[in-house]
Amino acid sequence: MEIADEAVRLFAEHGVAATTAEDIASAAGVSTRTLWRYFRSKEECVRPLLAAGIEMVTERLRAHWRGDGSFAHAISSFDDPGTVAAQPIEALRDLVRLSRDEPGLRAVWLEAHFDAEGVFADVIAEGTGRSPHDLAVRVEAGMLNAALRVAVEDWAVQPEEAAGPPLGESLATALYVVAQLFETDSTEASGGRRLLRLPAPSPSPEP
């Protein structure tokens, strides 16, 4: 993770074009040979940062289907200060902002979510007793994936000083929207189970 953090910091400070793999390796305290052993390009160095967030969401999904509580309860810790503090929030914000104008970083961002879609499909399939190759499962995974990506992108572009929603609230709102799309009176597609059960987000207080 240190390599990813240093890569984002250098990209934000100096730009992607002006930052070399040697710069990243030196800042992270590793050799350039070691860096190239794990990453295909300097832009790929940020991948662990994205993987950490996707893994966190995956664990929330698995906890839901293990019977550890409702899905709403599983993701409630997104708003917990301790959980938020444990995540590289500022580095993630910088990375997503940079990805808007840097094709190399954008490609890594989208590739990470492409890979996540398969992971989400596996988790949904495990939890609902269906095949990960089922078209409905793949569509549900794609919707979930897109909602999370858009929520993070929307959060990242907000001015840091603005009274906009924190990342956890943005994710919860996006997941609530997905839940409304998944809710159905028919139980055939999901084997008698609904994918998500989320309460409507509380309205923001009037200024």
Side-chain angles (χ1 to χ4, degrees):
M1 184 64 75
E2 185 176 355
I3 293 176
D5 289 341
E6 291 297 336
V8 173
R9 181 181 66 80
L10 291 170
F11 290 156
E13 290 181 2
H14 308 293
V16 175
T19 300
T20 66
E22 290 76 13
D23 293 332
I24 298 171
S26 177
V30 300
S31 68
T32 305
R33 178 177 296 182
T34 297
L35 186 145
W36 287 130
R37 185 180 304 155
Y38 294 104
F39 303 104
R40 297 171 297 178
S41 67
K42 62 184 181 182
E43 290 88 353
E44 275 282 331
C45 291
V46 306
R47 187 67 178 266
L49 177 63
L50 304 177
I54 291 170
E55 182 178 352
M56 181 176 67
V57 174
T58 301
E59 284 307 305
R60 295 294 185 276
L61 284 168
R62 285 204 170 101
H64 164 56
W65 276 303
R66 282 197 299 263
D68 295 345
S70 67
F71 189 80
H73 181 268
I75 67 165
S76 62
S77 58
F78 284 147
D79 281 322
D80 179 76
T83 300
V84 172
Q87 303 300 317
I89 297 297
E90 294 307 318
L92 178 61
R93 188 195 299 271
D94 288 341
L95 173 57
V96 176
R97 287 178 173 179
L98 286 167
S99 70
R100 293 186 299 164
D101 302 313
E102 294 288 349
L105 293 179
R106 185 67 177 175
V108 174
W109 170 246
L110 294 177
E111 185 177 294
H113 276 281
F114 177 83
D115 293 342
E117 194 166 301
V119 175
F120 293 154
D122 286 340
V123 176
I124 292 171
E126 292 170 11
T128 59
R130 292 177 288 167
S131 166
H133 306 296
D134 186 303
L135 178 58
V137 170
R138 294 173 58 195
V139 170
E140 290 168 3
M143 292 167 63
L144 173 62
N145 190 32
L148 294 171
R149 178 181 60 79
V150 172
V152 174
E153 290 177 347
D154 182 75
W155 161 79
V157 299
Q158 303 300 323
E160 295 179 38
E161 297 79 11
L167 178 57
E169 184 178 331
S170 295
L171 292 173
T173 299
L175 290 169
Y176 172 73
V177 173
V178 172
Q180 299 312 293
L181 296 175
F182 286 176
E183 290 288 351
T184 175
D185 291 332
S186 172
T187 59
E188 292 184 8
S190 60
R193 302 182 66 176
R194 291 176 176 176
L195 176 60
L196 304 176
R197 295 179 179 85
L198 293 175
S202 302
S204 301
E206 292 295 330

